[in-house]
Amino acid sequence: MDSQPAPPGFNYDESKVPDYTLPDPLLMEDGTRVTDAKTWREIRRPELLQLFETEVYGKAPGGKVNHQVKALSREQAALDGKATRMEFEISFPDAPDLKWYLLVFLPNSASRPVPGFLGLNFNGNHSIHPDPGIRLSTAWMRQGGKSPGVKDNRATEASRGESASRWPVDKIISRGYGLATIYYGDIDPDYDDGFQNGVHGTMDSFGRPRPAPDEWGSIAAWAWGLSRILDFIEVTGIDPHKVALLGHSRLGKTSLWAGARDERFALVISNDSGCGGAALSRRRFGETVARINTSFPHWFCGNFKKYDDNEDALPVDQHMLISLVAPRPVYIASAEEDVWADPRGEFLSAKHADPVYRLLGTGGLGEETMPDIDKPVGETIGYHIRSGKHDVTGFDWDQYLNFADRHLSGKKHDVP
Ligand code: GCU
């Protein structure tokens, strides 16, 4: 398992995981046990949401935001005639510096609206497929080994299709699904600038230099952005009642938080999301709360720093985040060599969310022990640990497509 060297002082040794007691998702703050769906919905779910909001991710502004959606391009013969490719520009009259670009592929063979996957991407829309018709992002972009086409923090032509292995567009289309994606840095650039840029810096109500300790960090901002996309996704031809939200790594943390908050997302997928995503914080295995808050001080809200080296004081743990998606289908994926993300902690979160799924009348995960490598399990909570590294692979997508077939086809997802 230990293909990654552990950073100094960090634990990759299962025998050194401390004893811990997980908070019970079905035990209310006043000590009463939740025994029916109504109490979960009306009391416990709101309690937990509020705790995650104020102690972990931070509150995002509520209510509708004034925005305009402009169609930029439409190519009906994309992917050798199999798909229609569209791009949209989203602008905000109250925040003139903010512009988002949404890329959409729809299968030409399916009648509209179609069920679809929605996910943020790391390297710009043009990175997900080499199609030269896709607009090259002009936004600030992180630089690094995985995106050699990015120079001086801007994308170059060489970065087209760089992330294509993570976005099997042909396969998604041939299975009858649409795909919508947006560069996460359009919503909030991923670096710590004291929250000057992106949505933090431009929204009127949050226009002060730094959010308060219980207000949104970048993960909450990205999650908020996903909900804004969902507000208008219908115009693209994707069925707003059949949206599977998907994210990898920091964006897997984001998809879980977005899916927990916004019950309009019909299905939620977290790929290798690790600390602050699917992995239990109390295990302190791989990346810890203190480590993530130090390396990425802008991701979570200020209050989350209270739990640096103090995980037992957290009023929640990440199994409760997964339970907030219930009864909607959720898929948690790990990778064997991704020890930094703590695959066992990700599985245990899924397992400890199971009682909530069962209370709400679904099949939940239905597994007590971690499955073998490359053997997907679970009914309403799907889980697998695949062989290989931290990544999104064809194997991962095959499971997501099968899971979506099982849960999205035919039925309309009603928002409670
Ligand atoms: C780092 C970080 C993780 C995160 C990952 C990613 O490894 O420590 O928490 O999931 O980056 O988003 O790629």
Side-chain angles (χ1 to χ4, degrees):
M1 285 264 291
D2 282 6
S3 68
Q4 300 163 354
F10 288 87
N11 174 36
Y12 280 169
D13 179 350
E14 193 61 39
S15 70
K16 294 197 181 120
V17 169
D19 288 337
Y20 60 87
T21 307
L22 287 180
D24 186 338
L26 292 176
L27 204 57
M28 296 192 284
E29 285 191 61
D30 70 0
T32 319
R33 179 152 290 280
V34 180
T35 53
D36 60 89
K38 187 168 185 283
T39 312
W40 167 261
R41 261 228 73 66
E42 291 176 6
I43 304 178
R44 185 54 173 156
R45 185 182 139 80
E47 264 180 16
L48 284 177
L49 254 186
Q50 203 203 353
L51 287 170
F52 275 106
E53 214 163 51
T54 55
E55 301 299 304
V56 183
Y57 303 102
K59 286 187 251 178
K64 289 262 183 242
V65 171
N66 203 0
H67 67 267
Q68 286 161 356
V69 182
K70 185 166 105 191
L72 286 185
S73 65
R74 183 183 179 89
E75 170 55 69
Q76 276 170 278
L79 306 185
D80 299 324
K82 284 181 291 200
T84 298
R85 173 191 20 86
M86 293 168 280
E87 285 182 286
F88 299 86
E89 182 187 85
I90 300 102
S91 55
F92 302 82
D94 303 328
D97 293 342
L98 201 62
K99 290 245 191 310
W100 301 354
Y101 295 91
L102 182 74
L103 169 67
V104 177
F105 284 95
L106 296 184
N108 285 339
S109 58
S111 56
R112 313 227 166 114
V114 290
F117 289 85
L118 167 64
L120 298 172
N121 65 70
F122 277 98
N123 299 109
N125 295 342
H126 61 274
S127 71
I128 76 145
H129 195 279
D131 180 345
I134 300 173
R135 175 184 175 277
L136 190 75
S137 173
T138 54
W140 179 93
M141 216 157 271
R142 288 189 308 143
Q143 255 174 252
K146 285 184 194 140
S147 45
V150 177
K151 302 266 182 294
D152 300 325
N153 295 109
R154 302 287 152 180
T156 68
E157 286 290 330
S159 57
R160 288 192 179 280
E162 259 178 358
S163 312
S165 67
R166 290 182 172 181
W167 299 92
V169 185
D170 282 82
K171 188 191 284 195
I172 297 166
I173 292 297
S174 70
R175 295 277 296 254
Y177 291 90
L179 173 68
T181 186
I182 158 173
Y183 169 52
Y184 79 134
D186 280 358
I187 300 169
D188 196 33
D190 190 3
Y191 63 94
D192 184 19
D193 71 335
F195 296 111
Q196 307 289 325
N197 58 19
V199 290
H200 291 104
T202 48
M203 302 293 297
D204 260 351
S205 50
F206 286 74
R208 46 188 182 271
R210 233 195 144 87
D214 65 347
E215 287 174 349
W216 57 349
S218 291
I219 291 176
W222 299 322
W224 177 88
L226 286 164
S227 288
R228 302 293 66 79
I229 302 289
L230 190 57
D231 291 344
F232 69 84
I233 206 157
E234 197 162 12
V235 304
T236 71
I238 291 179
D239 185 342
H241 301 286
K242 292 186 182 167
V243 173
L245 183 61
L246 151 134
H248 168 61
S249 208
R250 69 199 67 183
L251 301 179
K253 308 180 206 301
T254 303
S255 67
L256 284 176
W257 179 230
R261 294 178 73 226
D262 191 335
E263 294 181 278
R264 296 173 302 165
F265 290 112
L267 188 156
V268 179
I269 300 164
S270 120
N271 192 88
D272 303 359
S273 59
C275 181
L280 291 176
S281 301
R282 279 171 174 74
R283 276 174 47 82
R284 289 152 265 205
F285 186 98
E287 186 172 31
T288 60
V289 171
R291 172 69 191 234
I292 205 165
N293 278 333
T294 307
S295 319
F296 305 100
H298 58 297
W299 282 2
F300 298 86
C301 72
N303 279 343
F304 195 47
K305 298 188 173 61
K306 292 191 293 194
Y307 307 103
D308 289 1
D309 299 315
N310 188 24
E311 287 84 351
D312 291 318
L314 268 165
V316 289
D317 211 320
Q318 300 306 105
H319 61 308
M320 292 163 146
L321 179 65
I322 295 167
S323 71
L324 286 174
V325 182
R328 292 163 294 151
V330 63
Y331 201 107
I332 309 297
S334 308
E336 188 186 12
E337 293 173 36
D338 187 17
V339 285
W340 185 238
D342 186 15
R344 181 169 298 280
E346 295 180 319
F347 170 77
L348 288 173
S349 264
K351 174 176 158 174
H352 292 294
D354 182 86
V356 176
Y357 273 81
R358 291 195 178 260
L359 178 82
L360 301 182
T362 78
L365 176 70
E367 295 289 323
E368 283 301 308
T369 52
M370 246 177 123
D372 290 343
I373 306 297
D374 296 333
K375 294 274 184 274
V377 293
E379 199 178 309
T380 326
I381 306 177
Y383 177 83
H384 71 245
I385 172 163
R386 99 172 131 67
S387 45
K389 296 188 194 324
H390 185 72
D391 198 359
V392 193
T393 68
F395 177 90
D396 295 321
W397 269 102
D398 287 343
Q399 313 322 313
Y400 304 153
L401 286 160
N402 293 344
F403 196 66
D405 282 355
R406 258 160 53 207
H407 291 285
L408 292 186
S409 63
K411 85 171 193 263
K412 179 175 163 189
H413 158 70
D414 291 313
V415 177

